[in-house]
Amino acid sequence: MSETISNDYLSMINKTGSGYNIPVIVGAIVDAVIIPGKEIVTAQKEKVDGTISGMASLKSSTLISQTTINKLSGSDDYTMASTDSKTVNLSISNRSKLDAFSHTITNVTTAKPMVMLVNNWTSLTTHIYDQAYLDITVNGAAIDSTLGGVAGRMDVSSDNATELTAKLNAISGIKAQMVKVSDTSYTMVVTSEPGSSFSIVSPATTNRLNTSGTHANTDVTASSAASLTFNGVAITRSTNAITDLIDGVTVNLLSDNEFDNDAATAAPATVTTTVSASRSSTKIQATVEGLIAELNLYKADLNALGFVDEVGDADGQLANNSYLRSAKQKLMNLMTAPISGYGDSNIYFVEFGIKTAKDGSYVFDKTTFNRTYSNAPEKFDALTQDKAYASDPNVVVYSSSGSNLPQGKHTFTDSTDKLDAGTSTEKVLTRTGSGPFTFSTSDYTGFLFQSTIGTPGDLDIYVGRSAKTKLFNFFADALATSGNHDKVVDLYKDRSTNLAAKLTKIDQREARLQAMYTKQFTEMEKVVSTSKSSSEYITQLVDGWNKS
């Protein structure tokens, strides 16, 4: 029977010597020296490693919240409407410029494309165009030289109908296709964009695109511009997608108004289309509640990581961590700070109906939301839309979301070209160009304003960073590789490495002590065993004498 020999059994066979259990004694001595220090270092490393893991979880939570909040667009905050959506519809082109409106549109005639029909191609593959090139312009501009080596010229030497059509179709602003008329007859159809034009000139003396001589002359239908009456004013445009009638909106002309039955006049029937946009409190509330939900998820992650278990040992990975406390404080500061640049008065998160509950979470306050919507609905633009504008509507202000120009109201003094003259942030702007004139400064990258005149006069400039942008930048700062998060993680990683090295040294010392004490007790055991053997020999010798 085989079984493990216990320390007690080892003591039994050692009774001829000292009787001591040497492995147990050596282990106890080494443990008394090593374990107290090792437990302290091990606990420190476990805490540091837990903190590193917690910081990774915090970064992951931050990234998720940043991504979610960045998806808030505010595009659904307005309801767009057209009373005749088959003739005219609307799309948002710039949400930050959008406001409520109502306009009337009549006499709609859509822009038509230029159409060229090249008739009587007999085959798609064997019918060859025998000229070396075509001279082509689109809206009066010569095509790119990459198509034929010379600007305005396309190389088509010995191309068949299919090859020639494909080359034409690849030109920006032109579409081309072959249409089968019968088994032995095809027509090439070349069209421009609505309201645009093109020219295709062959070097052949007949100036015909198809030089086989079997087709009729090329038929061309000229393009025409779009026209409509907007709030009683006659308008013409070269395209059916009109972007300069209503701020932030594209008016799409889809079809002509019906014409009357008078063949002599062929005038459009008087059909009035009303187009409008209005804020939707329901959709804005949904945006606010979506923002609240994401902020609460982020705060819940912070609270879980920083949880302190006062009755047990289930602390969060970042319990009592200074970085986590700082992150919480920064979020609280952001949520209570004013949002400026949307007029002369500041806007606060609480005006959106975002209220802080006793437990620190955010809740929706319907009463406050309704009050803001009734009294100043334009304040909700500050939820998702950055603003940059001037008190003079003829001045256009540009300010990117990453511009370092502080948000808020700024004054421009025309006589000195100074922004915020007489303040600690005074900047002299440089004027360039000549209608429009551009005013800018290298101190504020991503910012400039333009005026049609070089002396626009004194004016106010407003730059607003929305709640969405402020939160996005808050999370971006936390995620930046040069930010405090990564610096803190690097410090903890260095500490973890140092503690691991310390544990290695402790293990090495433990092995040395184990070997040293084992050797010492083994030598002692040899001495004790020798002493007992001598004593037994003398006793036996004396006993023999006595018996004799």
Side-chain angles (χ1 to χ4, degrees):
M1 181 177 69
S2 174
E3 60 184 62
T4 302
I5 302 176
S6 68
N7 285 332
D8 289 338
Y9 187 76
L10 289 174
S11 297
M12 291 174 61
I13 65 172
N14 196 32
K15 285 184 180 180
T16 58
S18 66
Y20 293 129
N21 191 327
I22 294 175
V24 172
I25 294 173
V26 170
I29 294 173
V30 173
D31 287 348
V33 175
I34 296 297
I35 286 180
K38 188 173 184 178
E39 286 181 343
I40 292 173
V41 176
T42 300
Q44 290 175 340
K45 188 174 187 305
E46 288 176 352
K47 185 174 182 180
V48 169
D49 290 345
T51 300
I52 294 173
S53 176
M55 293 292 285
S57 298
L58 176 59
K59 188 169 187 176
S60 176
S61 176
T62 301
L63 180 59
I64 291 171
S65 294
Q66 182 193 44
T67 302
T68 302
I69 288 176
N70 195 43
K71 291 179 180 178
L72 298 175
S73 67
S75 297
D76 293 335
D77 293 351
Y78 280 82
T79 298
M80 314 287 284
S82 170
T83 56
D84 182 7
S85 58
K86 293 182 178 179
T87 302
V88 180
N89 71 15
L90 306 175
S91 57
I92 297 174
S93 57
N94 188 336
R95 169 62 182 82
S96 66
K97 294 183 177 181
L98 186 60
D99 204 348
F101 63 80
S102 179
H103 303 290
T104 59
I105 295 176
T106 57
N107 304 325
V108 175
T109 301
T110 58
K112 306 300 191 299
M114 176 179 174
V115 180
M116 174 183 284
L117 302 179
V118 185
N119 304 303
N120 298 329
W121 293 80
T122 58
S123 167
L124 295 178
T125 56
T126 61
H127 197 153
I128 304 299
Y129 177 66
D130 58 8
Q131 299 298 313
Y133 62 87
L134 291 171
D135 290 324
I136 302 174
T137 64
V138 178
N139 285 330
I143 62 173
D144 190 88
S145 61
T146 57
L147 296 173
V150 178
R153 181 164 293 180
M154 185 172 75
D155 181 10
V156 292
S157 179
S158 300
D159 284 346
N160 62 34
T162 299
E163 293 166 337
L164 177 58
T165 303
K167 287 184 176 180
L168 290 172
N169 193 56
I171 298 174
S172 177
I174 292 179
K175 293 181 179 178
Q177 63 176 333
M178 295 298 291
V179 177
K180 183 176 182 179
V181 179
S182 66
D183 288 343
T184 58
S185 178
Y186 297 85
T187 295
M188 178 187 292
V189 181
V190 185
T191 58
S192 70
E193 298 291 339
S196 299
S197 62
F198 60 88
S199 67
I200 302 176
V201 179
S202 167
T205 55
T206 55
N207 198 27
R208 297 185 303 185
L209 187 58
N210 182 341
T211 58
S212 295
T214 59
H215 70 290
N217 290 334
T218 299
D219 298 324
V220 177
T221 302
S223 62
S224 60
S227 63
L228 69 155
T229 301
F230 183 77
N231 290 338
V233 179
I235 302 292
T236 59
R237 294 291 187 272
S238 62
T239 175
N240 290 321
I242 304 173
T243 60
D244 57 357
L245 282 181
I246 306 172
D247 283 346
V249 174
T250 298
V251 178
N252 301 298
L253 306 183
L254 305 179
S255 64
D256 298 347
N257 282 143
E258 293 181 0
F259 284 75
D260 62 24
N261 295 320
D262 188 342
T265 61
T270 303
V271 178
T272 300
T273 301
T274 300
V275 292
S276 61
S278 59
R279 284 186 175 86
S280 168
S281 62
T282 301
K283 292 178 179 178
I284 295 174
Q285 179 177 330
T287 299
V288 173
E289 291 178 329
L291 177 59
I292 289 174
E294 187 53 44
L295 288 173
N296 279 334
L297 288 173
Y298 178 68
K299 288 200 73 173
D301 287 343
L302 296 186
N303 292 336
L305 289 168
F307 175 70
V308 177
D309 188 355
E310 297 180 352
V311 296
D313 58 356
D315 286 351
Q317 291 176 312
L318 297 180
N320 298 315
N321 182 273
S322 60
Y323 180 86
L324 183 67
R325 287 196 299 269
S326 175
K328 287 183 176 181
Q329 185 63 47
K330 287 179 180 178
L331 177 62
M332 186 179 72
N333 293 344
L334 185 149
M335 295 299 293
T336 55
I339 301 172
S340 57
Y342 291 82
D344 294 328
S345 301
N346 290 330
I347 302 172
Y348 293 86
F349 277 86
V350 68
E351 294 181 82
F352 302 142
I354 301 175
K355 187 176 180 179
T356 304
K358 290 182 178 180
D359 62 359
S361 64
Y362 298 110
V363 294
F364 179 66
D365 185 345
K366 179 69 171 176
T367 301
T368 301
F369 175 88
N370 288 341
R371 181 166 56 248
T372 302
Y373 188 82
S374 297
N375 298 333
E378 69 278 1
K379 287 187 175 182
F380 287 103
D381 286 343
L383 263 176
T384 57
Q385 304 304 310
D386 292 349
K387 293 280 188 178
Y389 63 98
S391 54
D392 182 349
N394 295 315
V395 173
V396 180
V397 181
Y398 300 91
S399 182
S400 66
S401 60
S403 171
N404 57 345
L405 175 68
Q407 66 169 357
K409 178 181 178 181
H410 303 270
T411 59
F412 173 74
T413 305
D414 185 47
S415 60
T416 60
D417 285 345
K418 288 183 177 180
L419 193 68
D420 299 326
T423 70
S424 59
T425 59
E426 174 183 293
K427 305 292 182 185
V428 177
L429 303 186
T430 301
R431 181 179 60 189
T432 57
S434 57
F437 294 88
T438 298
F439 296 79
S440 63
T441 171
S442 58
D443 292 324
Y444 293 144
T445 57
F447 161 76
L448 61 85
F449 72 83
Q450 292 182 327
S451 171
T452 55
I453 57 177
T455 55
D458 294 348
L459 51 89
D460 295 324
I461 292 176
Y462 298 87
V463 175
R465 302 278 182 261
S466 66
K468 169 187 170 180
T469 295
K470 288 165 74 73
L471 285 165
F472 181 88
N473 291 340
F474 166 79
F475 292 126
D477 290 343
L479 293 168
T481 55
S482 59
N484 287 335
H485 179 279
D486 284 3
K487 291 179 181 177
V488 170
V489 171
D490 287 342
L491 288 174
Y492 278 114
K493 286 182 176 178
D494 288 343
R495 190 175 180 190
S496 177
T497 300
N498 292 336
L499 289 170
K502 199 176 217 183
L503 285 173
T504 299
K505 290 180 179 179
I506 291 174
D507 289 340
Q508 291 172 347
R509 187 187 178 204
E510 181 180 13
R512 288 196 302 270
L513 289 175
Q514 189 84 26
M516 181 184 73
Y517 284 122
T518 298
K519 181 178 180 181
Q520 289 177 351
F521 275 92
T522 299
E523 293 299 325
M524 180 195 72
E525 185 65 24
K526 289 180 180 178
V527 173
V528 172
S529 297
T530 301
S531 175
K532 281 197 171 187
S533 298
S534 300
S535 174
E536 289 174 355
Y537 171 74
I538 294 171
T539 300
Q540 290 175 359
L541 184 60
V542 171
D543 287 342
W545 289 342
N546 290 334
K547 289 180 180 179
S548 61

